[in-house]
Amino acid sequence: QQQVKQSPQSLIVQKGGISIINCAYENTAFDYFPWYQQFPGKGPALLIAIRPDVSEKKEGRFTISFNKSAKQFSLHIMDSQPGDSATYFCAASKRYTGFQKLVFGTGTRLLVSP
Amino acid sequence: DVKVTQSSRYLVKRTGEKVFLECVQDMDHENMFWYRQDPGLGLRLIYFSYDVKMKEKGDIPEGYSVSREKKERFSLILESASTNQTSMYLCASSTSSGRNNQPQHFGDGTRLSIL
């Protein structure tokens, strides 16, 4: 059973456009929601993360929007660039003896066309 | 910069073989993880370790075991490889010290094919 549902599976956006990836979760014990970015041939790397006590977090062109009541969160990439083409994973976690044990979504492959 | 190194980028083994995947991190991290990545399924946690000689099952531990004899090294073992274990395997590490929610740092993966 997928604890974190992610959509869409793939996304094509024109350069300069807005990319939006959505995730939903069921477990209300989750208290940390990161997004990871993975380029071909590389491991995932943390992009941005949010805790449920805020509704939005922005870092440069990347914004997480969080809706606690709906148990949904999304990643917005403003002014999308070809260099943003990668696979994006949302994740959720709850604290486990000193660290976060992550549950990942299924991933979204983003292609930003020039 | 944190570096997580996986010993092989590509590995081809035969059904029934015992397979070892090795992972080393250079940042003195307490926590280490093994995931497998499959198209359409995302990353799934196989095993993790929060201290030397400590290990915990993740979501899909069947057919796998792990070893952590030294803090910097975490090995994934396929006891008797099967074709359904063909996958990309990712190792990660994180620290428990400092502020909450320390990120996991990933290696670049080992693509394992079982024939």
Side-chain angles (χ1 to χ4, degrees):
Chain A
Q1 184 182 2
Q2 194 71 32
Q3 295 191 54
V4 178
K5 295 183 179 179
Q6 182 172 348
S7 62
Q9 188 173 357
S10 62
L11 183 61
I12 300 175
V13 173
Q14 284 198 330
K15 179 182 175 181
I18 302 173
S19 304
I20 302 174
I21 305 170
N22 300 301
C23 286
Y25 64 97
E26 288 297 324
N27 190 343
T28 55
F30 289 146
D31 63 357
Y32 175 64
F33 301 88
W35 286 87
Y36 279 76
Q37 179 189 53
Q38 183 181 31
F39 292 107
K42 297 293 186 181
L46 179 66
L47 180 64
I48 187 173
I50 196 168
R51 291 185 61 86
D53 50 349
V54 296
S55 60
E56 186 175 283
K57 182 173 182 180
K58 183 176 182 179
E59 290 184 2
R61 295 183 296 107
F62 300 90
T63 299
I64 300 178
S65 297
F66 186 84
N67 186 329
K68 188 174 182 178
S69 61
K71 293 186 285 186
Q72 295 176 346
F73 59 110
S74 59
L75 177 69
H76 296 237
I77 307 175
M78 311 300 288
D79 187 27
S80 298
Q81 299 296 312
D84 297 330
S85 298
T87 299
Y88 292 81
F89 294 95
C90 63
S93 73
K94 54 184 177 178
R95 200 152 180 84
Y96 183 99
T97 59
F99 64 92
Q100 297 287 348
K101 184 183 168 189
L102 295 173
V103 177
F104 284 88
T106 51
T108 297
R109 182 172 289 185
L110 172 65
L111 176 64
V112 181
S113 59
Chain B
D1 240 9
V2 176
K3 190 161 181 65
V4 178
T5 303
Q6 296 184 231
S7 55
S8 305
R9 291 301 304 271
Y10 301 95
L11 207 53
V12 180
K13 296 292 182 180
R14 295 208 173 273
T15 303
E17 280 193 70
K18 190 169 186 177
V19 181
F20 293 85
L21 302 184
E22 306 288 345
C23 176
V24 176
Q25 49 94 5
D26 66 356
M27 283 301 292
D28 202 36
H29 283 173
E30 296 83 4
N31 313 306
M32 296 189 75
F33 310 83
W34 275 106
Y35 295 89
R36 63 177 283 176
Q37 180 177 5
D38 300 288
L41 296 177
L43 280 71
R44 293 179 293 166
L45 183 63
I46 304 171
Y47 266 97
F48 62 98
S49 168
Y50 52 88
D51 201 353
V52 176
K53 296 191 186 294
M54 303 304 291
K55 58 186 179 184
E56 293 271 352
K57 293 180 179 179
D59 299 318
I60 52 164
E62 296 78 18
Y64 303 95
S65 63
V66 291
S67 173
R68 191 156 180 214
E69 297 297 318
K70 293 184 178 181
K71 191 175 186 179
E72 67 270 19
R73 187 179 296 271
F74 193 34
S75 303
L76 180 68
I77 303 157
L78 284 66
E79 297 292 344
S80 177
S82 64
T83 55
N84 63 11
Q85 292 177 310
T86 291
S87 186
M88 171 69 82
Y89 289 87
L90 290 163
C91 175
S93 72
S94 72
T95 183
S96 293
S97 61
R99 56 182 172 86
N100 291 338
N101 307 323
Q102 295 286 357
Q104 291 187 17
H105 299 265
F106 284 83
D108 289 337
T110 295
R111 186 165 293 281
L112 175 64
S113 296
I114 307 296
L115 305 179

